[in-house]
Amino acid sequence: MPMKKILTILLGNTLYALAVALFILPNNLITGGSTGLALVFQHQFGVPVSVFVGVFNVIMFVAGAVVLGKAFALTTILSTFYYPFILGVFEKWFGGSGITNDTMLATVFAGLLIGAGIGMVIRSGASTGGMDIPPLILNKKLKLPVSMTMSVFDCLILLTQMIFSSKEQILYGILLVLLYTTVLDKVLMIGRNQMQIKIISEKSEAISEAIRTKLDRGTTLIHSEGGHTRKEGYAVLTVVSSRELSKVNDLTMNIDENAFMIINQVNEVRGRGFTLHKEYM
């Protein structure tokens, strides 16, 4: 595994552990995942959160390795052992004292840190282990959607914490889960949003050539026919980054100021110039 990915996975788990040590535990917040289960066992049996998470992660890691294979195990091993370790370190360092006593502030910042942390780990092609693994196993064995089973597990874990939580804590817990899942989605999409452009013009070939030579972006000429004039021609299809959008607009307008442009945002683009290096420049 490349060193950059290893460092990203470690940083992501560190952010997750900081959120738990600085905001969740000091303010008695409830949450989902393996940390939520750990809070139940801490309250009911006095088991330290870091100890429970460590044992639970190892059990889930073994189950995942058996069912999902060695490739999965290699991407999960760092999180499985590093997260409970660094969480235990932070618990000793901070001694249960957080940054703020404001429950809303704690919920917001915990959500931001957890979402960012998990997002970094997943972007690296790894897993945070723990409660991420049962949904993956169910998906392989029963073909159940991962997102659905993960949400069900999180809700069940939140419900188990009702035995020692107030109504307000449950509401804050729901808010926390919604926050970190939203931030997680945003982190996963950072740098991946691109702009898809369709250009309809009588000078489509000249526009296509300009985009290819001056921006080094691939183009596709799509056969088109005017709905009113019935005149046949070509539409130029290309995908560029957000920064290049104005350049495409300027190039197009300089060639044909009457060109018709349709611009859409796409969530992800794979291939030469995006996930692969540019061929020429």
Side-chain angles (χ1 to χ4, degrees), residues 186-199:
K186 296 295 182 184
V187 171
L188 292 178
M189 297 313 301
I190 288 176
R192 297 187 178 183
N193 287 337
Q194 307 293 339
M195 309 306 294
Q196 181 191 73
I197 306 173
K198 292 178 184 176
I199 305 168

Side-chain angles (χ1 to χ4, degrees), residues 33-102:
S34 56
T35 304
L37 277 178
L39 292 173
V40 175
F41 274 76
Q42 182 191 51
H43 187 273
Q44 295 298 108
F45 308 107
V47 180
V49 172
S50 57
V51 173
F52 177 87
V53 170
V55 173
F56 184 79
N57 278 8
V58 170
I59 294 171
M60 289 296 102
F61 173 77
V62 172
V66 170
V67 178
L68 303 173
K70 293 180 180 179
F72 168 82
L74 289 174
T75 62
T76 309
I77 191 168
L78 267 179
S79 298
T80 297
F81 296 100
Y82 177 74
Y83 172 66
F85 163 75
I86 196 63
L87 178 58
V89 171
F90 287 152
E91 282 184 296
K92 290 179 180 177
W93 279 2
F94 303 122
S97 60
I99 293 179
T100 178
N101 293 322
D102 188 303

Side-chain angles (χ1 to χ4, degrees), residues 153-252:
F153 280 131
D154 274 342
C155 289
L156 290 175
I157 291 169
L158 285 175
L159 288 174
T160 60
Q161 295 171 77
M162 290 177 65
I163 56 178
F164 58 85
S165 303
S166 65
K167 293 178 181 177
E168 281 195 353
Q169 283 179 305
I170 295 167
L171 292 176
Y172 279 123
I174 294 170
L175 179 60
L176 175 60
V177 171
L178 291 174
L179 270 173
Y180 74 64
T181 51
T182 301
V183 174
L184 168 61
D185 287 338
K186 296 295 182 184
V187 171
L188 292 178
M189 297 313 301
I190 288 176
R192 297 187 178 183
N193 287 337
Q194 307 293 339
M195 309 306 294
Q196 181 191 73
I197 306 173
K198 292 178 184 176
I199 305 168
I200 301 172
S201 168
E202 294 181 355
K203 301 177 180 178
S204 56
E205 291 190 15
I207 293 171
S208 173
E209 181 68 17
I211 293 172
R212 286 190 292 107
T213 56
K214 296 182 179 181
L215 293 181
D216 190 29
R217 288 299 181 193
T219 61
T220 300
L221 292 175
I222 304 172
H223 184 269
S224 64
E225 182 179 332
H228 175 65
T229 64
R230 315 306 295 182
K231 187 174 182 179
E232 294 187 352
Y234 291 97
V236 181
L237 173 65
T238 188
V239 178
V240 300
S241 66
S242 300
R243 293 179 181 179
E244 293 170 323
L245 179 59
S246 62
K247 294 179 182 178
V248 174
N249 182 71
D250 292 341
L251 280 176
T252 303

